[in-house]
mmCIF file with all atom_site columns, all heavy atoms in Angstrom:
data_model
loop_
_atom_site.group_PDB
_atom_site.id
_atom_site.type_symbol
_atom_site.label_atom_id
_atom_site.label_alt_id
_atom_site.label_comp_id
_atom_site.label_asym_id
_atom_site.label_entity_id
_atom_site.label_seq_id
_atom_site.pdbx_PDB_ins_code
_atom_site.Cartn_x
_atom_site.Cartn_y
_atom_site.Cartn_z
_atom_site.occupancy
_atom_site.B_iso_or_equiv
_atom_site.pdbx_formal_charge
_atom_site.auth_seq_id
_atom_site.auth_comp_id
_atom_site.auth_asym_id
_atom_site.auth_atom_id
_atom_site.pdbx_PDB_model_num
ATOM 1   N N   . ILE A 1 1  ? -1.718  7.630   -1.703  1.00 85.00 ? 29 ILE A N   1
ATOM 2   C CA  . ILE A 1 1  ? -0.786  6.591   -1.824  1.00 85.00 ? 29 ILE A CA  1
ATOM 3   C C   . ILE A 1 1  ? -0.823  5.923   -3.265  1.00 85.00 ? 29 ILE A C   1
ATOM 4   O O   . ILE A 1 1  ? 0.252   5.588   -3.778  1.00 85.00 ? 29 ILE A O   1
ATOM 5   C CB  . ILE A 1 1  ? -1.057  5.462   -0.848  1.00 85.00 ? 29 ILE A CB  1
ATOM 6   C CG1 . ILE A 1 1  ? -0.854  6.118   0.624   1.00 85.00 ? 29 ILE A CG1 1
ATOM 7   C CG2 . ILE A 1 1  ? 0.128   4.374   -1.002  1.00 85.00 ? 29 ILE A CG2 1
ATOM 8   C CD1 . ILE A 1 1  ? 0.326   6.780   0.942   1.00 85.00 ? 29 ILE A CD1 1
ATOM 9   N N   . ILE A 1 2  ? -2.039  5.798   -3.763  1.00 87.00 ? 30 ILE A N   1
ATOM 10  C CA  . ILE A 1 2  ? -2.293  5.232   -5.018  1.00 87.00 ? 30 ILE A CA  1
ATOM 11  C C   . ILE A 1 2  ? -3.063  6.293   -5.970  1.00 87.00 ? 30 ILE A C   1
ATOM 12  O O   . ILE A 1 2  ? -3.584  7.169   -5.468  1.00 87.00 ? 30 ILE A O   1
ATOM 13  C CB  . ILE A 1 2  ? -3.061  3.859   -5.039  1.00 87.00 ? 30 ILE A CB  1
ATOM 14  C CG1 . ILE A 1 2  ? -4.353  4.099   -4.581  1.00 87.00 ? 30 ILE A CG1 1
ATOM 15  C CG2 . ILE A 1 2  ? -2.211  2.810   -4.184  1.00 87.00 ? 30 ILE A CG2 1
ATOM 16  C CD1 . ILE A 1 2  ? -5.282  2.790   -4.589  1.00 87.00 ? 30 ILE A CD1 1
ATOM 17  N N   . LYS A 1 3  ? -3.067  5.953   -7.284  1.00 86.00 ? 31 LYS A N   1
ATOM 18  C CA  . LYS A 1 3  ? -3.848  6.788   -8.169  1.00 86.00 ? 31 LYS A CA  1
ATOM 19  C C   . LYS A 1 3  ? -4.618  5.836   -9.215  1.00 86.00 ? 31 LYS A C   1
ATOM 20  O O   . LYS A 1 3  ? -4.290  4.786   -9.304  1.00 86.00 ? 31 LYS A O   1
ATOM 21  C CB  . LYS A 1 3  ? -2.954  7.776   -8.954  1.00 86.00 ? 31 LYS A CB  1
ATOM 22  C CG  . LYS A 1 3  ? -2.028  6.982   -9.798  1.00 86.00 ? 31 LYS A CG  1
ATOM 23  C CD  . LYS A 1 3  ? -1.042  7.929   -10.623 1.00 86.00 ? 31 LYS A CD  1
ATOM 24  C CE  . LYS A 1 3  ? -0.060  7.129   -11.391 1.00 86.00 ? 31 LYS A CE  1
ATOM 25  N NZ  . LYS A 1 3  ? 0.922   8.099   -12.117 1.00 86.00 ? 31 LYS A NZ  1
ATOM 26  N N   . THR A 1 4  ? -5.630  6.387   -9.690  1.00 87.00 ? 32 THR A N   1
ATOM 27  C CA  . THR A 1 4  ? -6.375  5.589   -10.780 1.00 87.00 ? 32 THR A CA  1
ATOM 28  C C   . THR A 1 4  ? -5.514  5.652   -12.091 1.00 87.00 ? 32 THR A C   1
ATOM 29  O O   . THR A 1 4  ? -4.798  6.525   -12.368 1.00 87.00 ? 32 THR A O   1
ATOM 30  C CB  . THR A 1 4  ? -7.776  6.227   -11.108 1.00 87.00 ? 32 THR A CB  1
ATOM 31  O OG1 . THR A 1 4  ? -7.510  7.649   -11.497 1.00 87.00 ? 32 THR A OG1 1
ATOM 32  C CG2 . THR A 1 4  ? -8.568  6.258   -9.802  1.00 87.00 ? 32 THR A CG2 1
ATOM 33  N N   . ALA A 1 5  ? -5.607  4.568   -12.690 1.00 88.00 ? 33 ALA A N   1
ATOM 34  C CA  . ALA A 1 5  ? -4.713  4.388   -13.950 1.00 88.00 ? 33 ALA A CA  1
ATOM 35  C C   . ALA A 1 5  ? -5.564  3.733   -15.015 1.00 88.00 ? 33 ALA A C   1
ATOM 36  O O   . ALA A 1 5  ? -5.125  2.837   -15.850 1.00 88.00 ? 33 ALA A O   1
ATOM 37  C CB  . ALA A 1 5  ? -3.587  3.370   -13.626 1.00 88.00 ? 33 ALA A CB  1
ATOM 38  N N   . GLY A 1 6  ? -6.719  4.248   -15.126 1.00 88.00 ? 34 GLY A N   1
ATOM 39  C CA  . GLY A 1 6  ? -7.680  3.777   -16.169 1.00 88.00 ? 34 GLY A CA  1
ATOM 40  C C   . GLY A 1 6  ? -8.805  3.024   -15.516 1.00 88.00 ? 34 GLY A C   1
ATOM 41  O O   . GLY A 1 6  ? -8.878  2.790   -14.216 1.00 88.00 ? 34 GLY A O   1
ATOM 42  N N   . TYR A 1 7  ? -9.820  2.607   -16.386 1.00 91.00 ? 35 TYR A N   1
ATOM 43  C CA  . TYR A 1 7  ? -11.025 2.063   -15.765 1.00 91.00 ? 35 TYR A CA  1
ATOM 44  C C   . TYR A 1 7  ? -10.691 0.757   -14.962 1.00 91.00 ? 35 TYR A C   1
ATOM 45  O O   . TYR A 1 7  ? -10.126 -0.167  -15.552 1.00 91.00 ? 35 TYR A O   1
ATOM 46  C CB  . TYR A 1 7  ? -12.019 1.768   -16.882 1.00 91.00 ? 35 TYR A CB  1
ATOM 47  C CG  . TYR A 1 7  ? -13.303 1.162   -16.345 1.00 91.00 ? 35 TYR A CG  1
ATOM 48  C CD1 . TYR A 1 7  ? -14.289 2.071   -15.715 1.00 91.00 ? 35 TYR A CD1 1
ATOM 49  C CD2 . TYR A 1 7  ? -13.648 -0.095  -16.504 1.00 91.00 ? 35 TYR A CD2 1
ATOM 50  C CE1 . TYR A 1 7  ? -15.459 1.514   -15.126 1.00 91.00 ? 35 TYR A CE1 1
ATOM 51  C CE2 . TYR A 1 7  ? -14.872 -0.764  -15.942 1.00 91.00 ? 35 TYR A CE2 1
ATOM 52  C CZ  . TYR A 1 7  ? -15.720 0.165   -15.329 1.00 91.00 ? 35 TYR A CZ  1
ATOM 53  O OH  . TYR A 1 7  ? -16.960 -0.356  -14.858 1.00 91.00 ? 35 TYR A OH  1
ATOM 54  N N   . GLY A 1 8  ? -10.996 0.720   -13.759 1.00 91.00 ? 36 GLY A N   1
ATOM 55  C CA  . GLY A 1 8  ? -10.753 -0.531  -12.945 1.00 91.00 ? 36 GLY A CA  1
ATOM 56  C C   . GLY A 1 8  ? -9.412  -0.827  -12.587 1.00 91.00 ? 36 GLY A C   1
ATOM 57  O O   . GLY A 1 8  ? -8.997  -1.925  -12.234 1.00 91.00 ? 36 GLY A O   1
ATOM 58  N N   . LYS A 1 9  ? -8.453  0.279   -12.864 1.00 93.00 ? 37 LYS A N   1
ATOM 59  C CA  . LYS A 1 9  ? -7.047  -0.008  -12.541 1.00 93.00 ? 37 LYS A CA  1
ATOM 60  C C   . LYS A 1 9  ? -6.497  0.983   -11.582 1.00 93.00 ? 37 LYS A C   1
ATOM 61  O O   . LYS A 1 9  ? -7.060  2.094   -11.507 1.00 93.00 ? 37 LYS A O   1
ATOM 62  C CB  . LYS A 1 9  ? -6.178  0.144   -13.861 1.00 93.00 ? 37 LYS A CB  1
ATOM 63  C CG  . LYS A 1 9  ? -6.523  -0.907  -14.873 1.00 93.00 ? 37 LYS A CG  1
ATOM 64  C CD  . LYS A 1 9  ? -5.654  -0.674  -16.107 1.00 93.00 ? 37 LYS A CD  1
ATOM 65  C CE  . LYS A 1 9  ? -6.019  -1.762  -17.198 1.00 93.00 ? 37 LYS A CE  1
ATOM 66  N NZ  . LYS A 1 9  ? -5.125  -1.509  -18.425 1.00 93.00 ? 37 LYS A NZ  1
ATOM 67  N N   . VAL A 1 10 ? -5.566  0.605   -10.737 1.00 92.00 ? 38 VAL A N   1
ATOM 68  C CA  . VAL A 1 10 ? -4.847  1.579   -9.914  1.00 92.00 ? 38 VAL A CA  1
ATOM 69  C C   . VAL A 1 10 ? -3.310  1.397   -9.963  1.00 92.00 ? 38 VAL A C   1
ATOM 70  O O   . VAL A 1 10 ? -2.824  0.334   -10.460 1.00 92.00 ? 38 VAL A O   1
ATOM 71  C CB  . VAL A 1 10 ? -5.213  1.395   -8.360  1.00 92.00 ? 38 VAL A CB  1
ATOM 72  C CG1 . VAL A 1 10 ? -6.662  1.867   -8.244  1.00 92.00 ? 38 VAL A CG1 1
ATOM 73  C CG2 . VAL A 1 10 ? -4.982  0.043   -7.858  1.00 92.00 ? 38 VAL A CG2 1
ATOM 74  N N   . ASP A 1 11 ? -2.566  2.308   -9.551  1.00 89.00 ? 39 ASP A N   1
ATOM 75  C CA  . ASP A 1 11 ? -1.193  2.190   -9.618  1.00 89.00 ? 39 ASP A CA  1
ATOM 76  C C   . ASP A 1 11 ? -0.638  3.053   -8.429  1.00 89.00 ? 39 ASP A C   1
ATOM 77  O O   . ASP A 1 11 ? -1.261  3.873   -7.851  1.00 89.00 ? 39 ASP A O   1
ATOM 78  C CB  . ASP A 1 11 ? -0.454  2.664   -10.840 1.00 89.00 ? 39 ASP A CB  1
ATOM 79  C CG  . ASP A 1 11 ? 0.952   2.134   -11.056 1.00 89.00 ? 39 ASP A CG  1
ATOM 80  O OD1 . ASP A 1 11 ? 1.482   1.465   -10.141 1.00 89.00 ? 39 ASP A OD1 1
ATOM 81  O OD2 . ASP A 1 11 ? 1.565   2.455   -12.141 1.00 89.00 ? 39 ASP A OD2 1
ATOM 82  N N   . PHE A 1 12 ? 0.662   2.946   -8.047  1.00 86.00 ? 40 PHE A N   1
ATOM 83  C CA  . PHE A 1 12 ? 1.296   3.805   -6.972  1.00 86.00 ? 40 PHE A CA  1
ATOM 84  C C   . PHE A 1 12 ? 1.205   5.237   -7.506  1.00 86.00 ? 40 PHE A C   1
ATOM 85  O O   . PHE A 1 12 ? 1.628   5.567   -8.671  1.00 86.00 ? 40 PHE A O   1
ATOM 86  C CB  . PHE A 1 12 ? 2.587   3.342   -6.672  1.00 86.00 ? 40 PHE A CB  1
ATOM 87  C CG  . PHE A 1 12 ? 2.725   2.099   -5.948  1.00 86.00 ? 40 PHE A CG  1
ATOM 88  C CD1 . PHE A 1 12 ? 3.121   0.902   -6.531  1.00 86.00 ? 40 PHE A CD1 1
ATOM 89  C CD2 . PHE A 1 12 ? 2.401   2.024   -4.532  1.00 86.00 ? 40 PHE A CD2 1
ATOM 90  C CE1 . PHE A 1 12 ? 3.001   -0.252  -5.886  1.00 86.00 ? 40 PHE A CE1 1
ATOM 91  C CE2 . PHE A 1 12 ? 2.297   0.912   -3.831  1.00 86.00 ? 40 PHE A CE2 1
ATOM 92  C CZ  . PHE A 1 12 ? 2.845   -0.378  -4.479  1.00 86.00 ? 40 PHE A CZ  1
ATOM 93  N N   . ALA A 1 13 ? 0.952   6.157   -6.635  1.00 80.00 ? 41 ALA A N   1
ATOM 94  C CA  . ALA A 1 13 ? 0.781   7.501   -6.966  1.00 80.00 ? 41 ALA A CA  1
ATOM 95  C C   . ALA A 1 13 ? 2.224   8.135   -7.242  1.00 80.00 ? 41 ALA A C   1
ATOM 96  O O   . ALA A 1 13 ? 2.330   9.061   -8.191  1.00 80.00 ? 41 ALA A O   1
ATOM 97  C CB  . ALA A 1 13 ? 0.201   8.431   -5.912  1.00 80.00 ? 41 ALA A CB  1
ATOM 98  N N   . ALA A 1 14 ? 3.210   7.706   -6.655  1.00 71.00 ? 42 ALA A N   1
ATOM 99  C CA  . ALA A 1 14 ? 4.644   8.194   -6.938  1.00 71.00 ? 42 ALA A CA  1
ATOM 100 C C   . ALA A 1 14 ? 5.231   7.031   -7.749  1.00 71.00 ? 42 ALA A C   1
ATOM 101 O O   . ALA A 1 14 ? 5.077   5.948   -7.434  1.00 71.00 ? 42 ALA A O   1
ATOM 102 C CB  . ALA A 1 14 ? 5.285   8.493   -5.656  1.00 71.00 ? 42 ALA A CB  1
ATOM 103 N N   . PRO A 1 15 ? 6.148   7.490   -8.657  1.00 57.00 ? 43 PRO A N   1
ATOM 104 C CA  . PRO A 1 15 ? 6.692   6.498   -9.458  1.00 57.00 ? 43 PRO A CA  1
ATOM 105 C C   . PRO A 1 15 ? 7.894   5.752   -8.644  1.00 57.00 ? 43 PRO A C   1
ATOM 106 O O   . PRO A 1 15 ? 8.434   4.756   -9.126  1.00 57.00 ? 43 PRO A O   1
ATOM 107 C CB  . PRO A 1 15 ? 7.498   7.298   -10.578 1.00 57.00 ? 43 PRO A CB  1
ATOM 108 C CG  . PRO A 1 15 ? 7.618   8.729   -9.952  1.00 57.00 ? 43 PRO A CG  1
ATOM 109 C CD  . PRO A 1 15 ? 6.452   8.867   -9.125  1.00 57.00 ? 43 PRO A CD  1
ATOM 110 N N   . ILE A 1 16 ? 8.183   6.177   -7.486  1.00 51.00 ? 44 ILE A N   1
ATOM 111 C CA  . ILE A 1 16 ? 9.179   5.591   -6.825  1.00 51.00 ? 44 ILE A CA  1
ATOM 112 C C   . ILE A 1 16 ? 8.669   5.444   -5.355  1.00 51.00 ? 44 ILE A C   1
ATOM 113 O O   . ILE A 1 16 ? 8.228   6.518   -4.691  1.00 51.00 ? 44 ILE A O   1
ATOM 114 C CB  . ILE A 1 16 ? 10.477  6.414   -6.630  1.00 51.00 ? 44 ILE A CB  1
ATOM 115 C CG1 . ILE A 1 16 ? 10.984  6.646   -8.069  1.00 51.00 ? 44 ILE A CG1 1
ATOM 116 C CG2 . ILE A 1 16 ? 11.590  5.783   -5.780  1.00 51.00 ? 44 ILE A CG2 1
ATOM 117 C CD1 . ILE A 1 16 ? 11.965  7.735   -8.178  1.00 51.00 ? 44 ILE A CD1 1
ATOM 118 N N   . CYS A 1 17 ? 8.721   4.200   -4.758  1.00 49.00 ? 45 CYS A N   1
ATOM 119 C CA  . CYS A 1 17 ? 8.256   3.991   -3.411  1.00 49.00 ? 45 CYS A CA  1
ATOM 120 C C   . CYS A 1 17 ? 9.353   3.162   -2.809  1.00 49.00 ? 45 CYS A C   1
ATOM 121 O O   . CYS A 1 17 ? 9.628   2.200   -3.200  1.00 49.00 ? 45 CYS A O   1
ATOM 122 C CB  . CYS A 1 17 ? 7.064   3.134   -3.331  1.00 49.00 ? 45 CYS A CB  1
ATOM 123 S SG  . CYS A 1 17 ? 5.597   4.120   -3.788  1.00 49.00 ? 45 CYS A SG  1
ATOM 124 N N   . VAL A 1 18 ? 10.128  3.796   -1.768  1.00 34.00 ? 46 VAL A N   1
ATOM 125 C CA  . VAL A 1 18 ? 11.342  3.148   -1.281  1.00 34.00 ? 46 VAL A CA  1
ATOM 126 C C   . VAL A 1 18 ? 11.152  3.052   0.225   1.00 34.00 ? 46 VAL A C   1
ATOM 127 O O   . VAL A 1 18 ? 10.758  4.004   0.861   1.00 34.00 ? 46 VAL A O   1
ATOM 128 C CB  . VAL A 1 18 ? 12.628  3.881   -1.615  1.00 34.00 ? 46 VAL A CB  1
ATOM 129 C CG1 . VAL A 1 18 ? 13.708  3.243   -1.084  1.00 34.00 ? 46 VAL A CG1 1
ATOM 130 C CG2 . VAL A 1 18 ? 12.685  4.114   -3.055  1.00 34.00 ? 46 VAL A CG2 1
ATOM 131 N N   . SER A 1 19 ? 11.431  1.959   0.710   1.00 36.00 ? 47 SER A N   1
ATOM 132 C CA  . SER A 1 19 ? 11.746  1.675   2.234   1.00 36.00 ? 47 SER A CA  1
ATOM 133 C C   . SER A 1 19 ? 10.693  2.149   3.225   1.00 36.00 ? 47 SER A C   1
ATOM 134 O O   . SER A 1 19 ? 10.762  3.299   3.594   1.00 36.00 ? 47 SER A O   1
ATOM 135 C CB  . SER A 1 19 ? 13.119  2.302   2.549   1.00 36.00 ? 47 SER A CB  1
ATOM 136 O OG  . SER A 1 19 ? 13.168  3.254   3.462   1.00 36.00 ? 47 SER A OG  1
ATOM 137 N N   . THR A 1 20 ? 9.776   1.222   3.476   1.00 40.00 ? 48 THR A N   1
ATOM 138 C CA  . THR A 1 20 ? 8.957   1.541   4.647   1.00 40.00 ? 48 THR A CA  1
ATOM 139 C C   . THR A 1 20 ? 9.407   0.747   5.790   1.00 40.00 ? 48 THR A C   1
ATOM 140 O O   . THR A 1 20 ? 9.168   1.113   6.917   1.00 40.00 ? 48 THR A O   1
ATOM 141 C CB  . THR A 1 20 ? 7.395   1.398   4.460   1.00 40.00 ? 48 THR A CB  1
ATOM 142 O OG1 . THR A 1 20 ? 7.370   0.004   3.972   1.00 40.00 ? 48 THR A OG1 1
ATOM 143 C CG2 . THR A 1 20 ? 6.956   2.364   3.342   1.00 40.00 ? 48 THR A CG2 1
ATOM 144 N N   . CYS A 1 21 ? 10.031  -0.264  5.663   1.00 31.00 ? 49 CYS A N   1
ATOM 145 C CA  . CYS A 1 21 ? 10.754  -1.176  6.592   1.00 31.00 ? 49 CYS A CA  1
ATOM 146 C C   . CYS A 1 21 ? 9.931   -1.388  7.838   1.00 31.00 ? 49 CYS A C   1
ATOM 147 O O   . CYS A 1 21 ? 8.674   -0.995  7.983   1.00 31.00 ? 49 CYS A O   1
ATOM 148 C CB  . CYS A 1 21 ? 12.078  -0.611  6.907   1.00 31.00 ? 49 CYS A CB  1
ATOM 149 S SG  . CYS A 1 21 ? 12.099  0.952   7.893   1.00 31.00 ? 49 CYS A SG  1
ATOM 150 N N   . ALA A 1 22 ? 10.565  -2.057  8.848   1.00 31.00 ? 50 ALA A N   1
ATOM 151 C CA  . ALA A 1 22 ? 9.767   -2.527  10.028  1.00 31.00 ? 50 ALA A CA  1
ATOM 152 C C   . ALA A 1 22 ? 9.478   -1.507  10.874  1.00 31.00 ? 50 ALA A C   1
ATOM 153 O O   . ALA A 1 22 ? 8.509   -1.627  11.700  1.00 31.00 ? 50 ALA A O   1
ATOM 154 C CB  . ALA A 1 22 ? 10.730  -3.597  10.811  1.00 31.00 ? 50 ALA A CB  1
ATOM 155 N N   . SER A 1 23 ? 10.141  -0.209  10.807  1.00 36.00 ? 51 SER A N   1
ATOM 156 C CA  . SER A 1 23 ? 9.752   0.884   11.706  1.00 36.00 ? 51 SER A CA  1
ATOM 157 C C   . SER A 1 23 ? 8.423   1.353   11.464  1.00 36.00 ? 51 SER A C   1
ATOM 158 O O   . SER A 1 23 ? 7.853   2.073   12.279  1.00 36.00 ? 51 SER A O   1
ATOM 159 C CB  . SER A 1 23 ? 10.787  1.867   11.523  1.00 36.00 ? 51 SER A CB  1
ATOM 160 O OG  . SER A 1 23 ? 10.704  2.386   10.304  1.00 36.00 ? 51 SER A OG  1
ATOM 161 N N   . THR A 1 24 ? 7.923   1.075   10.309  1.00 40.00 ? 52 THR A N   1
ATOM 162 C CA  . THR A 1 24 ? 6.518   1.573   9.980   1.00 40.00 ? 52 THR A CA  1
ATOM 163 C C   . THR A 1 24 ? 5.421   0.565   10.159  1.00 40.00 ? 52 THR A C   1
ATOM 164 O O   . THR A 1 24 ? 4.382   0.743   9.847   1.00 40.00 ? 52 THR A O   1
ATOM 165 C CB  . THR A 1 24 ? 6.404   2.291   8.610   1.00 40.00 ? 52 THR A CB  1
ATOM 166 O OG1 . THR A 1 24 ? 6.713   1.285   7.700   1.00 40.00 ? 52 THR A OG1 1
ATOM 167 C CG2 . THR A 1 24 ? 7.428   3.330   8.504   1.00 40.00 ? 52 THR A CG2 1
ATOM 168 N N   . GLN A 1 25 ? 5.887   -0.689  10.275  1.00 38.00 ? 53 GLN A N   1
ATOM 169 C CA  . GLN A 1 25 ? 5.002   -1.901  10.360  1.00 38.00 ? 53 GLN A CA  1
ATOM 170 C C   . GLN A 1 25 ? 4.030   -1.676  11.594  1.00 38.00 ? 53 GLN A C   1
ATOM 171 O O   . GLN A 1 25 ? 4.515   -1.506  12.625  1.00 38.00 ? 53 GLN A O   1
ATOM 172 C CB  . GLN A 1 25 ? 5.890   -3.125  10.430  1.00 38.00 ? 53 GLN A CB  1
ATOM 173 C CG  . GLN A 1 25 ? 4.909   -4.469  10.511  1.00 38.00 ? 53 GLN A CG  1
ATOM 174 C CD  . GLN A 1 25 ? 5.737   -5.665  10.275  1.00 38.00 ? 53 GLN A CD  1
ATOM 175 O OE1 . GLN A 1 25 ? 6.656   -5.569  9.604   1.00 38.00 ? 53 GLN A OE1 1
ATOM 176 N NE2 . GLN A 1 25 ? 5.234   -6.716  10.952  1.00 38.00 ? 53 GLN A NE2 1
ATOM 177 N N   . ARG A 1 26 ? 2.847   -1.899  11.316  1.00 37.00 ? 54 ARG A N   1
ATOM 178 C CA  . ARG A 1 26 ? 1.907   -1.965  12.477  1.00 37.00 ? 54 ARG A CA  1
ATOM 179 C C   . ARG A 1 26 ? 1.575   -3.374  12.878  1.00 37.00 ? 54 ARG A C   1
ATOM 180 O O   . ARG A 1 26 ? 1.400   -4.264  12.010  1.00 37.00 ? 54 ARG A O   1
ATOM 181 C CB  . ARG A 1 26 ? 0.554   -1.262  12.023  1.00 37.00 ? 54 ARG A CB  1
ATOM 182 C CG  . ARG A 1 26 ? 0.806   0.244   11.823  1.00 37.00 ? 54 ARG A CG  1
ATOM 183 C CD  . ARG A 1 26 ? -0.542  0.759   11.148  1.00 37.00 ? 54 ARG A CD  1
ATOM 184 N NE  . ARG A 1 26 ? -1.678  0.593   11.912  1.00 37.00 ? 54 ARG A NE  1
ATOM 185 C CZ  . ARG A 1 26 ? -2.330  1.608   12.565  1.00 37.00 ? 54 ARG A CZ  1
ATOM 186 N NH1 . ARG A 1 26 ? -1.939  2.816   12.408  1.00 37.00 ? 54 ARG A NH1 1
ATOM 187 N NH2 . ARG A 1 26 ? -3.349  1.460   13.347  1.00 37.00 ? 54 ARG A NH2 1
ATOM 188 N N   . THR A 1 27 ? 1.459   -3.632  14.115  1.00 35.00 ? 55 THR A N   1
ATOM 189 C CA  . THR A 1 27 ? 1.159   -4.969  14.596  1.00 35.00 ? 55 THR A CA  1
ATOM 190 C C   . THR A 1 27 ? -0.154  -4.891  15.365  1.00 35.00 ? 55 THR A C   1
ATOM 191 O O   . THR A 1 27 ? -0.261  -5.501  16.442  1.00 35.00 ? 55 THR A O   1
ATOM 192 C CB  . THR A 1 27 ? 2.201   -5.516  15.464  1.00 35.00 ? 55 THR A CB  1
ATOM 193 O OG1 . THR A 1 27 ? 2.560   -4.566  16.547  1.00 35.00 ? 55 THR A OG1 1
ATOM 194 C CG2 . THR A 1 27 ? 3.500   -5.708  14.610  1.00 35.00 ? 55 THR A CG2 1
ATOM 195 N N   . SER A 1 28 ? -1.090  -4.067  14.871  1.00 33.00 ? 56 SER A N   1
ATOM 196 C CA  . SER A 1 28 ? -2.384  -3.984  15.605  1.00 33.00 ? 56 SER A CA  1
ATOM 197 C C   . SER A 1 28 ? -3.122  -5.294  15.237  1.00 33.00 ? 56 SER A C   1
ATOM 198 O O   . SER A 1 28 ? -2.748  -6.128  14.575  1.00 33.00 ? 56 SER A O   1
ATOM 199 C CB  . SER A 1 28 ? -3.075  -2.853  15.096  1.00 33.00 ? 56 SER A CB  1
ATOM 200 O OG  . SER A 1 28 ? -3.245  -2.849  13.650  1.00 33.00 ? 56 SER A OG  1
ATOM 201 N N   . SER A 1 29 ? -4.404  -5.278  15.811  1.00 32.00 ? 57 SER A N   1
ATOM 202 C CA  . SER A 1 29 ? -5.147  -6.556  15.660  1.00 32.00 ? 57 SER A CA  1
ATOM 203 C C   . SER A 1 29 ? -5.399  -6.931  14.189  1.00 32.00 ? 57 SER A C   1
ATOM 204 O O   . SER A 1 29 ? -5.625  -6.086  13.444  1.00 32.00 ? 57 SER A O   1
ATOM 205 C CB  . SER A 1 29 ? -6.528  -6.415  16.253  1.00 32.00 ? 57 SER A CB  1
ATOM 206 O OG  . SER A 1 29 ? -7.130  -5.395  15.676  1.00 32.00 ? 57 SER A OG  1
ATOM 207 N N   . TRP A 1 30 ? -5.105  -8.158  13.919  1.00 30.00 ? 58 TRP A N   1
ATOM 208 C CA  . TRP A 1 30 ? -5.247  -8.599  12.629  1.00 30.00 ? 58 TRP A CA  1
ATOM 209 C C   . TRP A 1 30 ? -5.810  -10.091 12.741  1.00 30.00 ? 58 TRP A C   1
ATOM 210 O O   . TRP A 1 30 ? -4.967  -11.078 13.132  1.00 30.00 ? 58 TRP A O   1
ATOM 211 C CB  . TRP A 1 30 ? -3.846  -8.783  12.001  1.00 30.00 ? 58 TRP A CB  1
ATOM 212 C CG  . TRP A 1 30 ? -3.700  -9.360  10.640  1.00 30.00 ? 58 TRP A CG  1
ATOM 213 C CD1 . TRP A 1 30 ? -3.527  -10.616 10.273  1.00 30.00 ? 58 TRP A CD1 1
ATOM 214 C CD2 . TRP A 1 30 ? -4.054  -8.634  9.417   1.00 30.00 ? 58 TRP A CD2 1
ATOM 215 N NE1 . TRP A 1 30 ? -3.623  -10.849 8.944   1.00 30.00 ? 58 TRP A NE1 1
ATOM 216 C CE2 . TRP A 1 30 ? -3.886  -9.619  8.414   1.00 30.00 ? 58 TRP A CE2 1
ATOM 217 C CE3 . TRP A 1 30 ? -4.355  -7.332  9.108   1.00 30.00 ? 58 TRP A CE3 1
ATOM 218 C CZ2 . TRP A 1 30 ? -3.991  -9.292  6.954   1.00 30.00 ? 58 TRP A CZ2 1
ATOM 219 C CZ3 . TRP A 1 30 ? -4.522  -7.036  7.670   1.00 30.00 ? 58 TRP A CZ3 1
ATOM 220 C CH2 . TRP A 1 30 ? -4.290  -8.080  6.703   1.00 30.00 ? 58 TRP A CH2 1
ATOM 221 N N   . SER A 1 31 ? -7.051  -10.290 12.441  1.00 32.00 ? 59 SER A N   1
ATOM 222 C CA  . SER A 1 31 ? -7.590  -11.765 12.685  1.00 32.00 ? 59 SER A CA  1
ATOM 223 C C   . SER A 1 31 ? -7.373  -12.479 11.417  1.00 32.00 ? 59 SER A C   1
ATOM 224 O O   . SER A 1 31 ? -7.164  -12.082 10.237  1.00 32.00 ? 59 SER A O   1
ATOM 225 C CB  . SER A 1 31 ? -9.059  -11.579 13.020  1.00 32.00 ? 59 SER A CB  1
ATOM 226 O OG  . SER A 1 31 ? -9.795  -11.187 11.827  1.00 32.00 ? 59 SER A OG  1
ATOM 227 N N   . GLU A 1 32 ? -7.658  -13.786 11.583  1.00 32.00 ? 60 GLU A N   1
ATOM 228 C CA  . GLU A 1 32 ? -7.426  -14.716 10.334  1.00 32.00 ? 60 GLU A CA  1
ATOM 229 C C   . GLU A 1 32 ? -8.510  -14.541 9.358   1.00 32.00 ? 60 GLU A C   1
ATOM 230 O O   . GLU A 1 32 ? -8.535  -14.998 8.284   1.00 32.00 ? 60 GLU A O   1
ATOM 231 C CB  . GLU A 1 32 ? -7.435  -16.159 10.894  1.00 32.00 ? 60 GLU A CB  1
ATOM 232 C CG  . GLU A 1 32 ? -6.236  -16.553 11.687  1.00 32.00 ? 60 GLU A CG  1
ATOM 233 C CD  . GLU A 1 32 ? -4.925  -16.443 10.919  1.00 32.00 ? 60 GLU A CD  1
ATOM 234 O OE1 . GLU A 1 32 ? -4.929  -16.829 9.651   1.00 32.00 ? 60 GLU A OE1 1
ATOM 235 O OE2 . GLU A 1 32 ? -3.857  -15.921 11.386  1.00 32.00 ? 60 GLU A OE2 1
ATOM 236 N N   . ALA A 1 33 ? -9.594  -13.774 9.833   1.00 34.00 ? 61 ALA A N   1
ATOM 237 C CA  . ALA A 1 33 ? -10.665 -13.535 8.942   1.00 34.00 ? 61 ALA A CA  1
ATOM 238 C C   . ALA A 1 33 ? -10.315 -12.328 7.856   1.00 34.00 ? 61 ALA A C   1
ATOM 239 O O   . ALA A 1 33 ? -10.986 -12.138 6.984   1.00 34.00 ? 61 ALA A O   1
ATOM 240 C CB  . ALA A 1 33 ? -11.897 -13.014 9.717   1.00 34.00 ? 61 ALA A CB  1
#
């Protein structure tokens, strides 16, 4: 999903990331911690 972009840096692996929308949203356990 991401790639290294120099020391201590990352970026998206693809130059274009479009639309993941609600259909891919996970609502699994997510604590305030």
Side-chain angles (χ1 to χ4, degrees):
I29 305 297
I30 64 174
K31 64 182 179 181
T32 57
Y35 182 75
K37 296 180 180 180
V38 294
D39 199 0
F40 290 104
I44 305 164
C45 290
V46 183
S47 120
T48 56
C49 68
S51 63
T52 64
Q53 180 173 327
R54 294 170 61 115
T55 55
S56 56
S57 60
W58 175 270
S59 69
E60 292 299 319

